[in-house]
Amino acid sequence: MTQQPVVSVHDVTKIYGKAGEKQYQALKGVTFDVQPGEFVGIMGASGSGKTTLLNILSTLDRPTAGSVAINGKDVTGLKGNQLSDFRAQQVGFIFQDFNLLENLTARENIALPKALQNVSHKQQQAAVDKIATTLGIEGVLDHYPTELSGGQKQRVAAARALVQQPAILFGDEPTGALDSQSARELLNTMKHLNEQEHVSILLVTHDPFSASYAQRILFIKDGQIGQELVHGDKTQEQFYQEILSTLGTFQQ
Amino acid sequence: MLRKLALGGIKSRFRDYAVLFSGLVIASAVFYMFMALATNKDFLNQNSSVGMTSFIFGLGEVLLVIITTVYIVYANSFLMSMRQRDYAMFMMLGAKSRKIAQLIFIETVTVGILAAAVGVVVGVGLTGLVGQLLMAQLHAPATHFAALWLPALLATFAFFVLMFVVAAFVNAHNLLKTPVLALLHAAQTPNRLQLKPLRLTVQAILALVLLGIGYWAMQQLGTLQIAGLALALVTIVLGSYFLFNSLLVWLIGLLKKNQRFAAKNLRTFTLSQLSFRIRDYTKILAVVSILFALALGAITTGMGFERDIPTLASMQNTYDVVTVDATASTQAEAKKLTGVTSQTAYHLKADQKHVYFDAAELAKNPLLLVTTYRLGGVTPTKVTAQNFAKAADMAPQQLTQFLTKADFGKNVTVASAAQFAALGGKTHVATTYQVSDFRANYDVIEKLANTTAKQNGFKSADEAGQKFAYYSLINGIFSGMAFMGFFLGIAFLAMLASTLMFKILSGANYDQGRYLMLQKIGVRPQLLRRSIRQEIGALFFFPGLLGVVHVLFGLQLFKGLIQQPYHNLYIPFGIFIVLYGLYYLITVWLYERIVVKKDIATD
Ligand SMILES: Nc1ncnc2c1ncn2[C@@H]1O[C@H](COP(=O)(O)OP(=O)(O)OP(=O)(O)O)[C@@H](O)[C@H]1O
Ligand SMILES: [Mg+2]
């Protein structure tokens, strides 16, 4: 495949703290690509730099050095409205703690990115209904977030991230706050999106089960990519076992 | 241990407490300012010409108590919203209910007492400052006015402590009755907009009827007396509340239903922001509309009284000051007059029985004498040789200012130019001055009037028939009322500002997360700012509008007291709207600074 990668990260470093103050290097030269339609997992111990990396990829934070290109466009230099529009149109983001607006109904939450583009009301609703059906939340669209279960909230958040048909969907431990049943449902949904709708997904997690849904897993340790696992033709069960044993050796 | 926990809570959310505390301090300071006038009976009796003053202050007292109560209840629910998660946490960790209740009690009462104490000190300072400024500006003697007034101090303190003790009980009670889970999630519970058309319609009709009764009562004050004031008070407060409750809910519902409108940009979000906390808003908006009306009404009335002083003085005498045989130093002093619109010299001669004007001079510059009396200002009669006798008959006092004491009592008349030239004796020169703004020249006129009177043998400017004497007499009566108007206007304005500021900033914490979230999903910062401007704009606009209507009807109260209560309304309204507008801009700016990050990627 010589297609243009959807995410291209080159030698990214991140140093927290200003010069002269106490500094901490969270990323020490990370390089990798994600191809269109790929489902990539990122694993690592707590504090290894996963959230830092994801925030930089999704333009919520800037790298200290290095380049990040999404769909071929360098995003590290974006500013102002360009930056906002890029966030709105190119990336979908599912946060660990849902981040729904609790004063809007599920339907209004999902429609928000469309409304920002001044799409007509009819088209907005059509887009919402379509994605809600895909994610299985069509029955709860008129509920407020407080009237939803954790799993439903996370799927609403996913719907909002996807309604714009972004180039890539980022998830920072989206299953972290869910029970195993809801987590499994969300992961199946993501897998479905990936396989049927060809959505590229980058999923940060430290749960081996969640990771076993990915086609490829990058292990990150102390701000560097240390190892890579490929799903290949293995069954999910086999892949899961492989992740477990890799984690065992990798953590030491 | 408990005390440590309670005070620790205050430390951990400093900004919120700062907002809460400064709001309460302003509330108690304003309460004190009002009470410093209202409880000072000597001051009221000395400074007002109207028997109704104490009624009006009584009405004000009741209104202020209502407003302050809403404010305190609101501040208190803010305090609770800050603390309920902590309390819920303590409960989950196994703290006993009794202990928690004690904790809440200590915290609430401490906040109340501190705010009242600081507020009273600030109030004394503000009362002194505003009082001094106004007295100097208005040349108001404001006798018996005291910045440090013990009854007001006690009343303010007692009211606040009482309110907070009650609030503490209510808080403790509520908290212990609410399930722990609800406490933990209280801030996120949305208020589903109740769109019950029947209820809305009933409320809207009720609101209009109540307001109608209130406005009517103010107009019929002459017959209804105190009952009318009480009626107006109750109906207008309730009417405002119902109007906002029905109107705003209806309006937001309507806009949200219009999907073509709502589906654009952040409109759904802005409307939801408004409807999310609609119950809080309606109470606050009703209060703001009444504060707006009080502040604007007080300032308008103050201006009305202030404007009446020169108007009434001009009804007695056209000339602002007249010098007779001015010495060099008097002439030098007269040069200091500013905005002189006319200056005319008349020559007079006297014999044993008569004082003569020169007919030729009068033909050129007729005397301007007030000969008719009518409400709302008069046009002086132009007096020449033809109509002199009649005018002199009707306005003998106004001629005195042209004379020296030696000629006082002689028959004032006119001689033809030839006769005048032939007359022997000393020629006196009387110079009349008219200025555009009497008040601005107050000190110079006072000096001119007094030295002229003394120089020509009169005991006082009053005896010499100078306008200054009337002016200071009328000023003595009316400036007290103007003083009260401005003083209360400023106090209510402060309270209005603090109420809105408090309402808006107290929500900033919850909103911060929402706006950050919106920025993360790619909402342009300028769109967020627009949403903020619209949301806050609605909060300013609607109560402002209703406030203006309240004032327009409320000025009926002063029909008998002020010459033309509705005259030149654009001046006070204009000043007030500019202030209100500035205040809006400051609030928006502060709010944006808190909730909109310039660039979330940079930190
Ligand atoms: N704003 C910051 N300022 C300074 N240091 C930071 C900041 N954010 C993160 N760090 C540090 O950078 C390192 C990586 O943090 P990061 O949040 O990326 O970890 P993570 O892999 O997401 O961990 P977890 O699995 O616990 O979420 C940590 O050591 C953390 O202390
Ligand atoms: Mg993390």
Side-chain angles (χ1 to χ4, degrees):
Chain A
M1 270 199 305
T2 51
Q3 247 178 314
Q4 181 188 51
V6 64
V7 176
S8 174
V9 181
H10 190 77
D11 209 11
V12 163
T13 60
K14 176 71 185 179
I15 299 172
Y16 283 115
K18 293 193 180 79
E21 290 170 23
K22 200 177 159 202
Q23 291 192 323
Y24 181 82
Q25 183 160 15
L27 295 178
K28 304 169 180 163
V30 174
T31 303
F32 70 96
D33 284 350
V34 177
Q35 300 303 329
E38 244 192 326
F39 187 154
V40 176
I42 292 183
M43 294 196 77
S46 184
S48 56
K50 304 182 297 290
T51 298
T52 306
L53 178 62
L54 207 59
N55 282 344
I56 289 172
L57 296 187
S58 54
T59 72
L60 298 181
D61 205 347
R62 287 185 210 282
T64 309
S67 71
V68 177
I70 307 278
N71 247 358
K73 188 170 175 66
D74 183 4
V75 298
T76 52
L78 288 178
K79 281 208 174 67
N81 288 340
Q82 276 181 320
L83 190 60
S84 297
D85 292 350
F86 185 83
R87 274 180 207 139
Q89 290 158 17
Q90 299 290 323
V91 301
F93 204 114
I94 314 180
F95 304 88
Q96 182 168 3
D97 47 359
F98 318 136
N99 262 317
L100 294 174
L101 292 160
E102 70 276 16
N103 56 354
L104 300 182
T105 61
R107 177 183 289 283
E108 289 164 346
N109 260 293
I110 299 171
L112 195 60
K114 282 277 179 200
L116 290 173
Q117 305 302 315
N118 288 330
V119 171
S120 80
H121 175 68
K122 256 209 183 123
Q123 283 175 303
Q124 284 180 30
Q125 294 312 315
V128 171
D129 287 329
K130 178 164 175 279
I131 192 74
T133 314
T134 312
L135 292 172
I137 44 170
E138 64 273 33
V140 294
L141 282 179
D142 290 318
H143 289 225
Y144 281 95
T146 43
E147 302 161 347
L148 296 172
S149 76
Q152 287 168 335
K153 272 190 239 184
Q154 202 54 291
R155 273 179 287 162
V156 171
R160 187 182 60 192
L162 290 167
V163 75
Q164 280 286 74
Q165 299 178 309
I168 181 152
L169 177 67
F170 294 113
D172 188 0
E173 309 209 26
T175 56
L178 302 182
D179 63 78
S180 62
Q181 180 59 29
S182 310
R184 203 180 290 250
E185 278 174 24
L186 183 70
L187 288 163
N188 282 326
T189 316
M190 291 177 83
K191 189 174 169 194
H192 171 83
L193 281 170
N194 175 250
E195 287 170 359
Q196 308 297 316
E197 318 272 333
H198 309 293
V199 178
S200 317
I201 297 176
L202 189 68
L203 179 71
V204 161
T205 180
H206 45 212
D207 166 35
F209 178 72
S210 301
S212 69
Y213 277 78
Q215 292 158 2
R216 186 157 66 98
I217 297 174
L218 305 173
F219 287 87
I220 189 167
K221 186 181 184 183
D222 300 329
Q224 277 171 315
I225 293 184
Q227 203 171 341
E228 188 175 331
L229 278 190
V230 180
H231 198 140
D233 297 332
K234 284 162 273 199
T235 65
Q236 194 170 354
E237 179 59 30
Q238 286 168 334
F239 192 41
Y240 176 63
Q241 291 302 334
E242 191 180 347
I243 298 168
L244 280 184
S245 56
T246 310
L247 277 180
T249 50
F250 186 67
Q251 301 291 24
Q252 272 122 51
Chain B
M1 179 59 200
L2 266 179
R3 205 157 298 141
K4 221 168 158 187
L5 275 178
L7 295 177
I10 295 184
K11 247 194 234 156
S12 64
R13 296 191 60 175
F14 184 73
R15 194 179 73 204
D16 287 332
Y17 275 96
V19 168
L20 173 77
F21 196 71
S22 56
L24 286 172
V25 164
I26 297 281
S28 58
V30 169
F31 198 87
Y32 174 84
M33 282 173 83
F34 185 86
M35 286 297 163
L37 300 196
T39 57
N40 192 337
K41 295 287 174 245
D42 287 339
F43 167 80
L44 292 184
N45 291 336
Q46 282 290 316
N47 291 282
S48 107
S49 49
V50 212
M52 203 134 66
T53 307
S54 39
F55 299 165
I56 294 177
F57 270 85
L59 172 87
E61 245 161 85
V62 177
L63 263 182
L64 196 64
V65 165
I66 295 176
I67 289 166
T68 316
T69 305
V70 170
Y71 199 126
I72 292 178
V73 167
Y74 189 71
N76 208 47
S77 67
F78 177 57
L79 178 68
M80 275 298 97
S81 74
M82 286 199 288
R83 296 291 278 148
Q84 56 196 4
R85 275 183 81 110
D86 299 344
Y87 289 137
M89 210 80 100
F90 297 157
M91 279 194 218
M92 285 205 315
L93 294 176
K96 289 203 185 72
S97 318
R98 242 174 43 94
K99 282 272 171 196
I100 296 281
Q102 214 178 327
L103 205 65
I104 298 169
F105 196 88
I106 295 173
E107 188 169 323
T108 313
V109 172
T110 308
V111 167
I113 290 178
L114 273 179
V118 178
V120 163
V121 174
V122 173
V124 170
L126 276 178
T127 306
L129 189 76
V130 174
Q132 292 305 326
L133 267 174
L134 286 176
M135 278 193 253
Q137 273 293 309
L138 299 170
H139 302 285
T143 24
H144 298 289
F145 175 74
L148 182 64
W149 184 248
L150 196 64
L153 214 135
L154 292 177
T156 311
F157 219 77
F159 178 72
F160 270 75
V161 171
L162 181 74
M163 289 303 292
F164 270 89
V165 168
V166 173
F169 276 119
V170 174
N171 279 349
H173 180 79
N174 281 348
L175 205 72
L176 294 182
K177 289 206 90 177
T178 318
V180 177
L181 256 184
L183 288 178
L184 282 171
H185 299 298
Q188 291 148 27
T189 315
N191 224 329
R192 263 184 191 279
L193 206 50
Q194 298 286 324
L195 271 179
K196 294 188 183 132
L198 185 70
R199 225 172 88 188
L200 285 188
T201 318
V202 169
Q203 284 196 359
I205 293 173
L206 195 63
L208 292 179
V209 169
L210 284 170
L211 287 179
I213 294 176
Y215 294 156
W216 171 81
M218 290 198 287
Q219 207 200 355
Q220 298 296 318
L221 201 68
T223 43
L224 294 172
Q225 298 288 338
I226 312 185
L229 282 181
L231 184 64
L233 170 81
V234 174
T235 51
I236 290 176
V237 170
L238 286 178
S240 303
Y241 174 70
F242 283 127
L243 191 68
F244 281 120
N245 222 4
S246 53
L247 184 86
L248 264 188
V249 172
W250 173 77
L251 201 68
I252 293 172
L254 201 71
L255 287 175
K256 267 191 121 172
K257 254 203 229 144
N258 181 347
Q259 290 166 330
R260 266 205 210 173
F261 172 85
K264 278 232 172 87
N265 289 333
L266 278 183
R267 283 175 192 168
T268 304
F269 174 77
T270 312
L271 291 171
S272 299
Q273 278 282 93
L274 281 170
S275 70
F276 190 45
R277 288 169 293 187
I278 196 74
R279 304 259 171 278
D280 284 349
Y281 276 144
T282 49
K283 266 180 240 131
I284 287 292
L285 293 187
V287 161
V288 167
S289 76
I290 286 167
L291 275 173
F292 187 100
L294 287 177
L296 177 56
I299 287 177
T300 308
T301 316
M303 279 195 164
F305 279 116
E306 189 207 11
R307 190 183 55 232
D308 268 5
I309 297 167
T311 311
L312 287 174
S314 298
M315 284 163 69
Q316 305 290 332
N317 193 336
T318 315
Y319 299 114
D320 292 316
V321 68
V322 179
T323 61
V324 179
D325 298 336
T327 60
S329 74
T330 308
Q331 280 171 12
E333 188 68 25
K335 286 234 163 58
K336 288 189 201 154
L337 288 170
T338 58
V340 178
T341 53
S342 89
Q343 175 182 350
T344 314
Y346 295 97
H347 294 85
L348 296 99
K349 284 182 181 170
D351 59 20
Q352 290 301 320
K353 290 240 164 74
H354 299 90
V355 182
Y356 300 95
F357 275 96
D358 181 349
E361 268 180 10
L362 290 190
K364 210 162 107 212
N365 294 311
L367 278 181
L368 298 172
L369 298 183
V370 182
T371 56
T372 51
Y373 296 91
R374 187 161 44 78
L375 222 60
V378 292
T379 10
T381 316
K382 289 185 176 173
V383 179
T384 59
Q386 278 77 38
N387 58 354
F388 191 91
K390 196 170 153 225
D393 217 33
M394 295 189 66
Q397 311 90 334
Q398 288 171 59
L399 292 172
T400 309
Q401 57 192 335
F402 291 90
L403 309 178
T404 60
K405 177 78 182 201
D407 295 333
F408 182 60
K410 292 178 183 171
N411 189 5
V412 185
T413 182
V414 184
S416 69
Q419 281 175 325
F420 190 85
L423 279 167
K426 184 175 183 316
T427 307
H428 297 285
V429 184
T431 311
T432 63
Y433 294 91
Q434 282 181 278
V435 293
S436 54
D437 185 353
F438 192 101
R439 194 187 317 279
N441 288 294
Y442 186 92
D443 294 329
V444 180
I445 291 176
E446 178 177 28
K447 216 165 163 190
L448 283 174
N450 284 334
T451 46
T452 300
K454 291 262 153 57
Q455 175 200 334
N456 293 306
F458 289 105
K459 280 207 286 290
S460 65
D462 183 19
E463 197 192 6
Q466 293 273 1
K467 184 176 185 174
F468 182 79
Y470 300 116
Y471 187 93
S472 47
L473 187 74
I474 297 166
N475 195 42
I477 301 168
F478 277 53
S479 66
M481 303 294 280
F483 176 87
M484 291 178 209
F486 287 123
F487 185 88
L488 295 181
I490 291 169
F492 288 135
L493 193 65
M495 182 91 166
L496 168 70
S498 122
T499 308
L500 269 173
M501 176 81 88
F502 182 64
K503 166 70 215 136
I504 288 164
L505 291 189
S506 66
N509 244 333
Y510 294 132
D511 286 346
Q512 211 169 12
R514 277 180 216 145
Y515 286 100
L516 182 63
M517 159 89 269
L518 285 170
Q519 272 181 290
K520 278 186 182 173
I521 65 168
V523 180
R524 293 179 173 194
Q526 77 205 52
L527 215 54
L528 283 184
R529 295 213 176 84
R530 191 197 298 165
S531 168
I532 290 170
R533 283 199 301 273
Q534 287 168 344
E535 187 191 338
I536 299 180
L539 295 184
F540 271 75
F541 177 75
F542 289 109
L545 193 67
L546 186 61
V548 166
V549 176
H550 286 340
V551 173
L552 289 178
F553 284 97
L555 285 176
Q556 290 286 338
L557 287 176
F558 297 92
K559 240 177 356 187
L561 307 176
I562 300 177
Q563 302 279 319
Q564 295 168 296
Y566 291 93
H567 185 63
N568 274 351
L569 270 193
Y570 70 91
I571 298 176
F573 277 48
I575 294 175
F576 201 82
I577 287 168
V578 167
L579 283 179
Y580 198 59
L582 281 178
Y583 193 64
Y584 165 71
L585 293 178
I586 293 175
T587 311
V588 167
W589 179 76
L590 269 176
Y591 197 71
E592 283 182 354
R593 273 182 53 111
I594 298 177
V595 301
V596 181
K597 295 237 163 49
K598 267 231 172 62
D599 184 354
I600 48 174
T602 42
D603 39 48

